[in-house]
Amino acid sequence: MDNNIGNTSDAIDINTVRYIANLIKLRINAEDAEVFSKQFSQIIEYFQILSDIDTSEVRPANENWLLKNVFREDVIQESMDREEFLKNAPDHEGSFVKVPKVFEER
Amino acid sequence: MHQTTKDPLSKYPRYLRKDEICNWIIGNGELMELFNLSVRDAHELLVKKEISSVELTTAVLANIKHEDPKIKAYITITEEHALEQARLADIRLNSKENITPLTGIPYAVKDCISTRGIQTTCGSKILEGYIPQFDASVVERLDRSGAVLLGKHNMDEFGMGSSCENSAFFNTHNPWNLDRVPGGSSGGSAASVSTGLSLFAIGEDTGGSIRMPAGFCNITGLKPTYGRVSRFGHIALVSSFDCVGPLTQTVFDCAIILETIAGKDPKDGTSLPDPVPTYTSSLGKSVKGLRLGIPDEYFQSGMDPGVEKAIQDAIQVFENSGMKICKVSLPHTQAALPVYYLILFAEASANLARFDGTRFGYSSRQNVENVIDLIVQSRQEGFGEEVKRRIMLGAYVLSAGYYDAYYLKAQKVRTLIRDDFNSAFEKCDAILAPTCPTPAFKLGEKKQDPLTMYLSDIYVVATNPAGVPALSLPCGFSEGLPVGMQLIGNHLSEELLFQIGHVYQTETDWHKMHPILA
């Protein structure tokens, strides 16, 4: 079954922008959401030209690339020194990278 | 000054040939011309001991001090490191052992390429101050060859842009006209090579990012075959499009550099195992009988008349050199832009997920109650507008309900684009195309409308989804601004592209022009 691009009346509204922002871990204010909504709708509409192309018999390119099974011997090699790595960590404690709390109180 | 009417450049007094160049002094009168040497010429002088690497590097550094405040090609300049490497190169050159064509040659890299101990920002605030603890493979190879690293070039943030205006730090200016963009995203690299701020540069091309600025700045730039040069240490934008490659003054220099940086790298699973030829040995061979394909779809409308004339003149040069000119068709040309951008949005959004303020880079600490706050705020404050726009669109095209319609569809049409090139290369040996439909536009001209900016990429975006190599070289001027053309070849055809490009640069002088800065 061929997959065609959705109906152009599915313009990208502000709620969709907010939803996407949440997926991608950004926080967008109402004003920016408005601007993005217009820009995204325009860009996605331009891309509708792909729906005119018949791809029913075509395999996706990323399933059919040149190299296959690039392996190496399963031998332990040196990785990065932990001290070196921690130099870039914004916060660390001992040999651990430290971040604010992950779990909420209930 | 008497100007003959036969001189096509008589309207443009700013442009002088390299052998007539420069009456302005910035210090020692003998040093000032060294920064405009090609890699090949510099190597000859170094081996003959007519100059030392320290002299050459000092000349380039002096030129950077003098000109870069106007051009702003550099984010980071590593003066002491460079002079130290130059001293080591001179020891090596004096010992006459283990000398390579790049020993003692000063260069710089686009700031998306990791350099141990040297800030690497990708043009973004989210990596401001980030110092990698390792070198990219391309830098390691150049280091082993004895090349001298001058610093890191400005770029559009995370490679997202065609003008260098999306850098989080500052704009780079086109040395041919400071009100104009240098192109992007390797804008700093191209501007730098065109005006002697480095003898060559290493940039990266995801969808024209080496070729477009090369075209706007009157230099030569190569997007190699995907996988020809290791991407290890290059901060990924679109993993299946990104190609690290050289920006130089000549095709010959491109060939020299590719010999050093190409080859299988165990640290990059997508690097090709094919042996690396001696690219320079194909230079000087005749191109008689080779077929040059002109794609119908590229010459239909929207091209600046000056660009069109320069390309037609170039076709004539190739014909005079004995090449057969033929028409080819790339039927899915219009689809290349949406295919390119859809895959870019998707892959970039995945690649940029790692910038979350936890392990490296900018980390927002104000009013952060939990780890989600940290991640969201760091990204919100660290990423620029174009980056946010593209990664949000990436999330959209990959999200449930839309994945099939957008991302999967784009990957299928991508196969058709690849097939277009395969079919075309049955009829010709290389394809000729403009690099950009217009010469360099003004700073600020396209920034307001993202879609207009995307449309300027029309001639350069099809090659990356297909993985094929493309060489951009100068071919004339339009209203005083450089025009670039591309030679596009089949998979792993860099030797042929160099052979054809070198013939063009033997018959013409465009690549020898340097801008005169006020």
Side-chain angles (χ1 to χ4, degrees):
Chain A
M1 191 191 89
D2 194 12
N3 301 295
N4 272 318
I5 286 193
N7 201 316
T8 50
S9 66
D10 292 352
I12 302 178
D13 63 18
I14 295 181
N15 287 331
T16 308
V17 172
R18 283 238 153 84
Y19 168 67
I20 299 168
N22 189 45
L23 285 177
I24 206 74
K25 294 287 175 287
L26 291 173
R27 187 179 291 144
I28 307 289
N29 65 35
E31 210 182 296
D32 289 341
E34 184 81 50
V35 172
F36 280 137
S37 164
K38 288 202 179 74
Q39 288 174 345
F40 291 178
S41 300
Q42 199 190 16
I43 292 167
I44 294 292
E45 189 176 331
Y46 177 76
F47 294 165
Q48 298 306 319
I49 61 181
L50 292 186
S51 46
D52 294 333
I53 301 174
D54 179 12
T55 52
S56 46
E57 305 292 314
V58 183
R59 278 184 71 198
N62 56 339
E63 286 176 18
N64 187 26
W65 205 243
L66 292 152
L67 294 177
K68 296 190 184 341
N69 301 338
V70 180
F71 292 136
R72 65 171 173 85
E73 288 302 313
D74 186 11
V75 165
I76 297 174
Q77 293 171 357
E78 260 188 53
S79 180
M80 188 182 287
D81 178 61
R82 192 197 297 264
E83 286 307 311
E84 293 282 301
F85 166 74
L86 286 172
K87 280 182 186 164
N88 276 308
D91 196 4
H92 71 276
E93 194 171 292
S95 56
F96 298 101
V97 171
K98 194 166 156 189
V99 296
K101 67 180 174 193
V102 175
F103 297 109
E104 275 185 327
E105 309 277 358
R106 284 217 181 217
Chain B
M1 187 168 89
H2 176 66
Q3 306 262 351
T4 68
T5 50
K6 280 192 190 148
D7 179 3
L9 295 176
S10 56
K11 283 204 301 179
Y12 308 112
R14 276 164 63 86
Y15 311 117
L16 300 180
R17 288 180 176 74
K18 198 171 70 170
D19 45 21
E20 296 169 321
I21 207 167
C22 286
N23 287 318
W24 38 283
I25 309 288
I26 54 165
N28 182 327
E30 286 171 346
L31 285 179
M32 68 180 176
E33 293 180 35
L34 297 181
F35 47 75
N36 278 323
L37 286 169
S38 69
V39 171
R40 185 188 187 189
D41 291 345
H43 173 69
E44 212 177 291
L45 294 177
L46 286 166
V47 160
K48 286 186 188 159
K49 304 265 175 41
E50 291 189 36
I51 56 170
S52 69
S53 177
V54 169
E55 279 176 317
L56 179 58
T57 303
T58 305
V60 181
L61 286 167
N63 195 31
I64 293 173
K65 273 209 181 79
H66 194 256
E67 301 304 338
D68 200 46
K70 291 174 228 154
I71 308 291
K72 303 194 72 62
Y74 279 88
I75 292 178
T76 304
I77 300 166
T78 52
E79 184 169 337
E80 280 185 32
H81 174 81
L83 288 169
E84 184 51 39
Q85 285 195 311
R87 278 189 275 272
L88 290 171
D90 279 333
I91 293 171
R92 196 161 153 179
L93 286 159
N94 285 332
S95 77
K96 297 197 168 86
E97 273 173 33
N98 196 16
I99 296 174
T100 77
L102 296 177
T103 306
I105 306 286
Y107 77 107
V109 298
K110 187 175 182 182
D111 212 12
C112 55
I113 292 177
S114 304
T115 41
R116 182 198 295 272
I118 300 169
Q119 181 187 233
T120 299
T121 67
C122 255
S124 179
K125 289 245 182 292
I126 215 167
L127 284 179
E128 192 173 11
Y130 165 67
I131 298 185
Q133 303 305 328
F134 60 96
D135 277 324
S137 292
V138 67
V139 172
E140 243 182 40
R141 285 177 185 237
L142 288 167
D143 200 49
R144 271 206 303 271
S145 75
V148 172
L149 181 67
L150 296 162
K152 312 300 290 298
H153 285 140
N154 195 24
M155 54 183 284
D156 284 295
E157 189 175 356
F158 287 108
M160 297 188 185
S162 310
S163 65
C164 231
E165 293 172 289
N166 289 331
S167 165
F169 304 115
F170 40 76
N171 292 334
T172 298
H173 299 255
N174 191 320
W176 293 90
N177 181 322
L178 296 175
D179 294 332
R180 304 251 168 184
V181 302
S185 54
S186 311
S189 298
S192 174
V193 172
S194 83
T195 195
L197 304 182
S198 61
L199 264 61
F200 70 95
I202 299 295
E204 173 284 317
D205 190 307
T206 297
S209 292
I210 286 177
R211 292 164 286 154
M212 220 188 139
F216 280 3
C217 293
N218 204 59
I219 60 162
T220 301
L222 173 75
K223 174 220 166 292
T225 304
Y226 178 80
R228 179 77 287 188
V229 178
S230 171
R231 288 182 300 114
F232 178 79
H234 164 255
I235 298 176
L237 171 60
V238 185
S239 306
S240 71
F241 291 171
D242 293 348
C243 293
V244 173
L247 292 96
T248 59
Q249 292 183 55
T250 66
V251 171
F252 204 105
D253 284 0
C254 253
I256 293 173
I257 292 153
L258 194 62
E259 275 176 18
T260 299
I261 64 175
K264 169 114 182 116
D265 181 9
K267 292 184 203 163
D268 176 358
T270 61
S271 68
L272 296 171
D274 304 69
V276 179
T278 314
Y279 292 111
T280 43
S281 62
S282 71
L283 302 177
K285 284 190 194 158
S286 159
V287 293
K288 243 195 172 117
L290 289 177
R291 303 159 298 166
L292 189 67
I294 313 293
D296 286 331
E297 294 81 3
Y298 284 17
F299 290 86
Q300 297 198 349
S301 65
M303 216 190 297
D304 169 89
V307 170
E308 182 145 22
K309 176 161 192 320
I311 301 294
Q312 295 299 344
D313 288 348
I315 294 174
Q316 195 58 57
V317 171
F318 288 120
E319 201 164 19
N320 295 345
S321 308
M323 288 187 85
K324 294 205 178 81
I325 312 296
C326 56
K327 279 187 183 290
V328 294
S329 176
L330 296 170
H332 296 94
T333 293
Q334 287 305 317
L337 258 164
V339 164
Y340 169 77
Y341 274 105
L342 281 171
I343 297 174
L344 182 147
F345 295 152
E347 293 195 18
S349 74
N351 277 326
L352 268 57
R354 69 195 65 184
F355 301 106
D356 58 12
T358 60
R359 292 150 296 153
F360 48 79
Y362 175 75
S363 187
S364 177
R365 291 286 157 167
Q366 296 234 357
N367 301 324
V368 163
E369 288 187 6
N370 56 50
V371 75
I372 300 294
D373 283 347
L374 170 68
I375 294 171
V376 171
Q377 248 165 254
S378 302
R379 290 162 70 80
Q380 187 63 25
E381 290 162 22
F383 284 146
E385 193 183 312
E386 184 63 32
V387 171
K388 285 179 195 161
R389 184 169 20 249
R390 295 195 190 195
I391 63 177
M392 287 174 70
L393 280 164
Y396 178 70
V397 307
L398 286 173
S399 62
Y402 295 104
Y403 177 94
D404 284 354
Y406 292 120
Y407 183 69
L408 186 57
K409 181 75 180 183
Q411 288 285 12
K412 287 184 175 184
V413 181
R414 182 180 178 179
T415 300
L416 297 177
I417 291 174
R418 214 173 62 193
D419 292 345
D420 275 3
F421 279 108
N422 286 336
S423 304
F425 288 126
E426 283 167 17
K427 300 201 179 71
C428 68
D429 300 297
I431 289 172
L432 178 73
T435 299
C436 189
T438 66
F441 40 89
K442 291 203 179 100
L443 284 156
E445 190 180 317
K446 297 204 179 184
K447 205 167 178 209
Q448 297 317 311
D449 183 1
L451 189 57
T452 310
M453 186 76 89
Y454 299 166
L455 292 173
S456 60
D457 291 341
I458 184 81
Y459 298 128
V460 289
V461 287
T463 48
N464 299 69
V468 293
L471 180 68
S472 177
L473 40 160
C475 67
F477 288 84
S478 172
E479 307 290 316
L481 293 166
V483 175
M485 66 175 177
Q486 295 182 83
L487 291 166
I488 304 170
N490 210 343
H491 185 75
L492 286 177
S493 64
E494 285 86 354
E495 273 177 286
L496 190 62
L497 297 182
F498 289 150
Q499 183 185 339
I500 300 171
H502 183 69
V503 162
Y504 183 80
Q505 289 190 341
T506 314
E507 298 300 314
T508 60
D509 277 350
W510 303 115
H511 61 290
K512 293 185 185 165
M513 311 289 166
H514 289 269
I516 303 296
L517 294 163

